[in-house]
Amino acid sequence: LFLVSSVSFAIFGTQFKSNNVIKSGSILFSYEEESRGIYITNAYPIPDEEGKRLSKDREYFDFEVSYSVLDKKTTDTAFYQISLVPDSKNTLDSNYVRVYLLEDGEEVSLCGNNKVCSYSKLKDSKIRNGAKMLLKRISDTYIHSYTLRLWVSYDYTVSQASETFRCYVAVDGY
């Protein structure tokens, strides 16, 4: 049994609550977000330790992925992937965009053993035109809470130009 499901949302804009459910074969897959989240515009560089603690409005993006396995036989080949898909109008070099992801309050290794990674160092997504942050096998019924933070690398030299980095969070089940 081969299953394909896909959900993608922008992570910038205003507050709203969206609950999206896909029922495909024997797996119920849900992606829920509290807001359209974060983007970087004219931000100043900060050290990674400070970026990991960003907590003001639009400095982080919370979302949930939940799934219910209705038929245990399907979990052998069922996965979901969380990707970042960049906006085509970005002006900030992705080498200077730092990415940090928490799963259920725990740090996720994004680039090998590194917990914080430049966007450009993330592995390419084979599903999306973007970068893969996490690939997870679906087993049993579970809800995972995620927190995503993006910031400008401390190595970046600020210019006079207005610079922006926007991306979409894509959660694909297959």
Side-chain angles (χ1 to χ4, degrees):
L1 177 65
F2 183 71
L3 305 172
V4 178
S5 300
S6 175
V7 181
S8 176
F9 291 91
I11 66 164
F12 52 89
T14 59
Q15 293 276 342
F16 80 99
K17 183 171 176 139
S18 175
N19 187 11
N20 307 285
V21 178
I22 295 174
K23 207 170 193 174
S24 177
S26 298
I27 295 176
L28 178 65
F29 187 82
S30 177
Y31 168 64
E32 185 172 319
E33 58 184 4
E34 290 294 324
S35 74
R36 290 276 205 167
I38 63 173
Y39 57 93
I40 301 172
T41 300
N42 297 330
Y44 288 101
I46 58 174
D48 287 348
E49 287 308 311
E50 189 176 330
K52 289 166 64 172
R53 294 189 309 267
L54 291 173
S55 60
K56 293 180 184 170
D57 187 36
R58 295 192 180 165
E59 290 184 338
Y60 64 97
F61 177 64
D62 284 329
F63 62 100
E64 289 183 343
V65 176
S66 62
Y67 46 85
S68 298
V69 177
L70 306 175
D71 179 358
K72 296 278 187 192
K73 293 180 280 187
T74 64
T75 61
D76 294 349
T77 57
F79 295 88
Y80 71 88
Q81 177 178 298
I82 301 174
S83 304
L84 289 178
V85 181
D87 188 287
S88 62
K89 298 176 185 165
N90 286 338
T91 56
L92 180 61
D93 185 336
S94 65
N95 286 311
Y96 298 107
V97 175
R98 303 295 280 167
V99 180
Y100 180 65
L101 183 67
L102 296 174
E103 178 186 54
D104 301 325
E106 300 292 323
E107 294 179 320
V108 174
S109 295
L110 296 173
C111 298
N113 291 328
N114 297 325
K115 308 296 185 200
V116 177
C117 189
S118 293
Y119 177 90
S120 62
K121 301 283 186 205
L122 293 170
K123 291 184 179 182
D124 288 338
S125 171
K126 292 183 173 38
I127 299 172
R128 299 281 180 164
N129 184 17
K132 176 176 69 173
M133 288 194 300
L134 179 70
L135 177 65
K136 197 155 184 97
R137 181 183 298 267
I138 294 174
S139 60
D140 229 346
T141 298
Y142 206 83
I143 298 173
H144 288 289
S145 297
Y146 294 95
T147 301
L148 172 66
R149 290 182 173 90
L150 303 177
W151 63 91
V152 178
S153 171
Y154 200 60
D155 299 335
Y156 179 71
T157 303
V158 178
S159 70
Q160 296 297 324
S162 174
E163 297 191 304
T164 302
F165 185 88
R166 295 180 183 193
C167 59
Y168 303 89
V169 171
V171 180
D172 296 289
Y174 60 95

